Amino acid sequence: MENQRSLLVLLFFAFAVGFIAVVFVLRWVLHFREGLAWDGGAKEFNWHPLLAVTGFIFLQGIAIVVYRLPWTWKCSKLMMKLIHAGLNVLAFILAVISLVAVFDFHNVQNIPNMYSLHSWVGLAAIILFTLQIVLGVCIFLLPVSPGYVRAAFMPIHVFSGLFIFTTVIASALMGITEKLIFGLTDPKYKDSPPEATFVNVLGLLITVFGALILWIATRPSWKRPSEQLLHTLHNSEPAPVGTKTDTTMSERPDPEPNSEARRRNGKTEE
Ligand code: HEM
Ligand code: HEM
């Protein structure tokens, strides 16, 4: 119970900090910068940070912890996979639009493409993210891969998911710094004008959001209980070991080695 309360508190903080970061980036582009438009100019560039932070950071972070929300534990595993995959696809779409905005802005303004470390790391993150979605759908969603393939791939999926998320945050911090150095000329970034302080705080908010999501996603005791354990809890009497609680292959408990819930349940991995 105490454990679950800490989870809820951290989930609340993560959501609040992420939401405030989105509000900050919106205020940055609307109040300190030129605003938003699709005109090949500075206003078009502004879609880049706005959609990158909203989609690629905030939505991706929520997608990562969505299995941990206790009030979703009643939902079937298939439903949760669809929500997890759907949020990630939405994050991907916003990230791609944010890239189209910055490439189009560069082309119209005759600015070279892909020269900075920020752009290399950012593009690599988007390519890995695409691969993660394709493999995630093929292995965990489509009822074609055998249990042992799912079991072998799960630790790789979790590690690469957390690695991509961390890389995106690193890239965003580089992009923010670049933009402040390019954009602030009179007064300069080093003179700490109000915009610089405001956007530095945005960078801190993004970092704290990232840390909270990584912490929540790496606590084994906060994992979603397995389907069978849920069945047991809901019926308040123990389900016989080996009983199936669902019908489709995709809804069967996912094979996750080292799952705390599964160890508690005493069930062997598929
Ligand atoms: C450019 C990716 C976030 C600022 C670029 C480019 C890529 C990219 C691939 C190269 C575009 C080109 O060469 O035409 C990403 C990704 C992000 C992200 C994946 C996800 C978090 C941000 C944020 C800012 C930002 C939050 C803050 C303003 C910039 C700037 C450029 C740029 C100033 C132009 C200079 C350059 O090419 O480095 N970004 N970006 N980016 N991005 Fe980002
Ligand atoms: C779990 C990331 C796409 C299926 C996870 C976890 C991460 C993650 C970090 C661990 C969460 C935790 O332990 O609480 C990502 C990222 C994706 C992505 C960044 C997109 C690029 C997908 C897709 C599917 C999928 C498309 C297909 C259904 C799963 C499953 C789990 C999982 C079944 C296990 C959840 C559990 O603990 O029971 N993902 N994922 N993922 N993901 Fe993904």
Side-chain angles (χ1 to χ4, degrees):
M1 193 63 199
E2 191 55 43
N3 196 27
Q4 192 158 324
R5 190 165 308 128
S6 331
L7 168 62
L8 288 175
V9 169
L10 277 198
L11 281 169
F12 172 79
F13 269 115
F15 186 85
V17 171
F19 184 75
I20 295 169
V22 171
V23 173
F24 261 59
V25 73
L26 197 60
R27 180 160 167 80
W28 181 24
V29 299
L30 294 181
H31 176 74
F32 289 103
R33 292 279 127 199
E34 306 76 9
L36 294 165
W38 203 270
D39 57 0
K43 290 183 185 177
E44 183 170 332
F45 170 84
N46 289 342
W47 285 108
H48 177 61
L50 179 63
L51 296 181
V53 172
T54 310
F56 219 18
I57 296 180
F58 183 60
L59 276 186
Q60 188 188 171
I62 300 300
I64 286 176
V65 295
V66 81
Y67 290 106
R68 309 267 172 157
L69 305 177
W71 48 93
T72 68
W73 290 349
K74 295 194 274 318
C75 302
S76 73
K77 189 63 184 280
L78 176 61
M79 169 67 79
M80 292 318 296
K81 285 185 192 179
L82 289 171
I83 294 174
H84 176 72
L87 284 170
N88 276 311
V89 169
L90 197 59
F92 173 76
I93 293 170
L94 296 186
V96 168
I97 301 174
S98 104
L99 274 200
V100 174
V102 68
F103 273 101
D104 192 48
F105 166 73
H106 275 191
N107 293 339
V108 172
Q109 305 291 324
N110 278 324
I111 300 171
N113 289 316
M114 298 303 300
Y115 64 87
S116 65
L117 178 60
H118 161 72
S119 60
W120 290 17
V121 173
L123 193 65
I126 298 228
I127 292 168
L128 290 175
F129 194 77
T130 313
L131 201 65
Q132 177 90 344
I133 290 186
V134 172
L135 290 175
V137 169
C138 293
I139 294 175
F140 298 120
L141 209 50
L142 302 179
V144 287
S145 55
Y148 69 88
V149 172
R150 294 178 178 215
F153 186 66
M154 180 54 81
I156 302 172
H157 179 81
V158 173
F159 172 78
S160 52
L162 298 178
F163 175 70
I164 295 167
F165 180 65
T166 311
T167 308
V168 169
I169 289 187
S171 171
L173 297 181
M174 284 189 257
I176 286 173
T177 309
E178 261 188 31
K179 182 66 183 170
L180 288 174
I181 292 170
F182 297 156
L184 294 173
T185 42
D186 189 21
K188 291 185 170 164
Y189 189 18
K190 68 179 171 59
D191 299 322
S192 295
E195 179 178 348
T197 312
F198 184 81
V199 181
N200 283 351
V201 174
L202 167 65
L204 285 181
L205 287 168
I206 290 173
T207 310
V208 172
F209 176 70
L212 289 169
I213 295 294
L214 291 176
W215 178 262
I216 293 168
T218 50
R219 293 313 91 203
S221 60
W222 289 345
K223 262 186 170 295
R224 171 190 161 91
S226 74
E227 300 292 305
Q228 203 172 31
L229 183 64
L230 282 169
H231 176 96
T232 308
L233 290 174
H234 289 153
N235 291 294
S236 69
E237 57 181 63
V241 174
T243 306
K244 274 194 201 157
T245 56
D246 40 25
T247 48
T248 66
M249 171 163 180
S250 338
E251 284 181 304
R252 263 184 241 157
D254 251 7
E256 288 165 80
N258 306 324
S259 159
E260 181 75 9
R262 221 142 277 134
R263 254 184 276 122
R264 263 183 276 141
N265 196 19
K267 190 174 187 284
T268 51
E269 305 301 339
E270 281 179 80

